[in-house]
Amino acid sequence: MDAELPAGIGHAWAALGAESHLLERVSHGGPPDGLPARSAVLELARATVAVCSLAAAELTAVRTGGPVPRVRVDDGAVATAFLSDRLVGVDGRAATTFAPLSRFWRAADGWVRTHANYPHHRSRLLAALGLPDGAEPDAVADAVAGRRAVDVEDTVYAAGGLAVAVRGTAEWAAHEQGALVAGQPLLTLERIGEAGPTRAWSRISGTPLLPCAGVRVLDLTRVLAGPVATRTLALLGADVLRIDAPHLPESQEAHNDTGMGKRSTTLDLGRGADRRVFEDLLADADVVVTGYRPGALDRFGLSPEALAERRPGLCVAQLSAWGRYGPWHERRGFDSLVQAATGIALLEGSGGGPGALPAQALDHGTGYLLAAAVLRALSERHGARAGGTWLARLALTQTAHWLVHDLTPGPVSGRVAERGHAPERRLVETDSPMGRLRHALPPVAYDGGPANWTRPPGRWGSDPARWLTP
């Protein structure tokens, strides 16, 4: 393992408000060529996994009363985990990462990136372009080719679809939203209310050491960053219950990757009976993680202020694509769209066209940062500063800004011809309700910690809406 710690780890750890001397517990090593790109993708991946692992080790010390376990970060395991959504498979069948209409399109003055993995997003995209619901990619290409990129962006978003004009870094910096992002920290973690510890947790012991044992997490997130965060909390022993609206479609393939260790149910918070079930769950929850557009859940009393008043002592973690500020704060967004808007797609392009990072690195990286923020809040809540209601906020665009402007590409980063590979030893197979499941092992690692999840994902939405233990 290397003795020298990359600067990105220290930057991310400082953003979490943690004690800098704990960085002495971290070491890293392994093959450095798993995520080759022009951007510092491997440094982002390594740093986010490292601080998540260290935050887990810190909470382990809080729960055991012992020293902070040593953290080891293996670059090969990290690279494999950042490709987990592409590597997951059932009975030898690989997952489908992007739908045919989720891609780059040449516009009259540049490029547009669309996202149409969900049926309703596909329908809205086609309707915005004046095309029938069953239109093929050639028809979309023709419709986009005659329009300015920003006109396609505005028209599709107005119709509830997802499209962004591909911008360079300077163009994004001059955009109102981009300028606001530049003034934001990587993340925020703050105490927003006073409260004593909500539940007394017993000390943990044995093997593996699970710092989130007894922690109950309500997971109100969708692909990909939020589910990566809650999947990590499940690895560390939390009882994670994902809740989706029954009318919103979800990909079982995506859930095969991010549902590891968790349970999944559906509740319609607009219905009285389901709302009462949710409130009963909330009354016993320790953590609520949300990944919807800012303000989208406020009508259900799920704003941080309402939660702090109704459930003092809670840890609330909020994730968005574009941030909770500026003209784009209410827009939907995904990793691929953020890459396109912030200049990353052009940085990674070749032959005059845009490209993409070798993984959905903004999603995965933000997911591990989100989990780290929750772990740090739990350490603060049950450590020396006992109590409090805590709020963590992150955005994919803030992670993108960190990648482009604050992280330095390593010697391998400029090599883009060969994309990363995943050694078989970092993939495992297990039986699941869907069949024989192949998946990546978790990259979060510390002395005495878990090496794998205790349960595979189930069928999305099929679990009862209750906690595992009373």
Side-chain angles (χ1 to χ4, degrees):
M1 288 287 182
D2 290 348
E4 183 179 356
L5 203 63
I9 298 177
H11 187 178
W13 189 241
L16 290 162
E19 297 181 5
S20 60
H21 71 87
L22 293 181
L23 291 169
E24 299 171 358
R25 311 299 290 173
V26 180
S27 59
H28 77 92
D33 59 349
L35 295 170
R38 293 192 176 92
S39 307
V41 179
L42 180 60
E43 185 174 355
L44 178 147
R46 180 195 295 133
T48 56
V49 170
V51 298
C52 186
S53 301
L54 186 54
E58 179 190 27
L59 182 57
T60 299
V62 170
R63 297 291 302 274
T64 62
V68 175
R70 291 196 173 275
V71 166
R72 58 194 182 277
V73 182
D74 181 86
D75 287 348
V78 168
T80 303
F82 267 59
L83 295 164
S84 66
D85 52 307
R86 304 180 186 186
L87 297 171
V88 69
V90 176
D91 294 334
R93 300 186 305 275
T96 302
T97 307
F98 286 105
L101 299 189
S102 297
R103 48 169 275 195
F104 292 106
W105 309 89
R106 184 179 285 280
D109 60 346
W111 295 86
V112 172
R113 176 81 194 211
T114 57
H115 194 287
N117 283 9
Y118 289 113
H120 58 297
H121 291 157
R122 184 182 190 278
S123 295
R124 292 169 186 173
L125 169 66
L126 293 174
L129 297 175
L131 299 172
D133 202 49
E136 297 295 326
D138 285 349
V140 176
D142 291 341
V144 173
R147 309 184 190 198
R148 296 171 63 243
V150 293
D151 291 339
V152 175
E153 175 182 278
D154 292 341
T155 300
V156 173
Y157 265 106
L162 294 125
V164 298
V166 175
R167 293 172 171 84
T169 54
E171 189 179 1
W172 176 245
H175 189 279
E176 183 178 355
Q177 190 70 31
L180 289 170
V181 170
Q184 297 294 319
L186 174 59
L187 60 89
T188 58
L189 176 61
E190 59 180 334
R191 185 172 179 146
I192 62 169
E194 297 302 321
T198 55
R199 280 193 297 134
W201 294 342
S202 59
R203 288 208 168 179
I204 58 170
S205 60
T207 302
L209 291 169
L210 300 174
C212 289
V215 176
R216 297 173 181 145
V217 179
L218 286 177
D219 176 4
L220 283 73
T221 69
R222 294 171 68 80
V223 293
L224 181 61
V228 166
T230 51
R231 177 183 71 182
T232 303
L233 298 177
L235 169 75
L236 300 172
D239 180 5
V240 179
L241 181 61
R242 173 168 166 170
I243 298 177
D244 286 272
H247 62 277
L248 286 178
E250 182 56 294
S251 163
Q252 180 64 46
E253 287 186 342
H255 189 63
N256 291 345
D257 172 41
T258 58
M260 301 295 301
K262 302 190 289 191
R263 294 174 301 120
S264 168
T265 193
T266 60
L267 291 174
D268 182 351
L269 299 187
R271 294 181 63 247
D274 283 6
R275 180 63 181 273
R276 287 189 291 273
V277 171
F278 178 83
E279 291 296 327
D280 288 342
L281 291 167
L282 177 63
D284 291 322
D286 299 288
V287 179
V288 174
V289 184
T290 66
Y292 290 78
R293 288 175 299 150
L297 299 176
D298 289 2
R299 67 185 186 278
F300 301 119
L302 294 177
S303 69
E305 297 77 14
L307 287 169
E309 181 178 352
R310 191 154 87 259
R311 184 74 174 87
L314 197 65
C315 171
V316 182
Q318 293 187 320
L319 167 76
S320 62
W322 307 107
R324 304 185 64 84
Y325 43 80
W328 283 22
H329 77 278
E330 292 185 340
R331 291 195 177 195
R332 299 174 179 87
F334 291 90
D335 182 308
S336 59
L337 300 181
V338 175
Q339 288 187 42
T342 59
I344 294 173
L346 290 183
L347 288 174
E348 296 296 329
S350 61
L357 298 175
Q360 298 287 93
L362 304 181
D363 265 333
H364 285 274
T366 306
Y368 289 113
L369 288 175
L370 184 64
V374 170
L375 295 166
R376 288 248 54 254
L378 294 175
S379 288
E380 294 283 5
R381 198 179 78 176
H382 293 272
R385 298 174 62 191
T389 304
W390 292 82
L391 172 63
R393 280 178 168 159
L394 297 90
L396 298 186
T397 47
Q398 290 164 206
T399 304
H401 185 86
W402 183 49
L403 171 64
V404 172
H405 297 281
D406 297 319
L407 299 181
T408 303
V412 182
S413 298
R415 223 181 69 220
V416 295
E418 296 291 334
R419 288 306 190 189
H421 63 282
E424 290 300 319
R425 68 184 180 88
R426 297 189 179 95
L427 299 173
V428 296
E429 291 189 352
T430 187
D431 290 325
S432 77
M434 291 71 62
R436 189 68 176 170
L437 178 71
R438 184 186 74 165
H439 66 89
L441 287 169
V444 172
Y446 54 93
D447 287 351
N452 201 351
W453 291 273
T454 57
R455 56 183 288 163
R459 297 196 179 278
W460 174 81
S462 64
D463 293 296
R466 62 171 182 262
W467 297 117
L468 287 175
T469 56

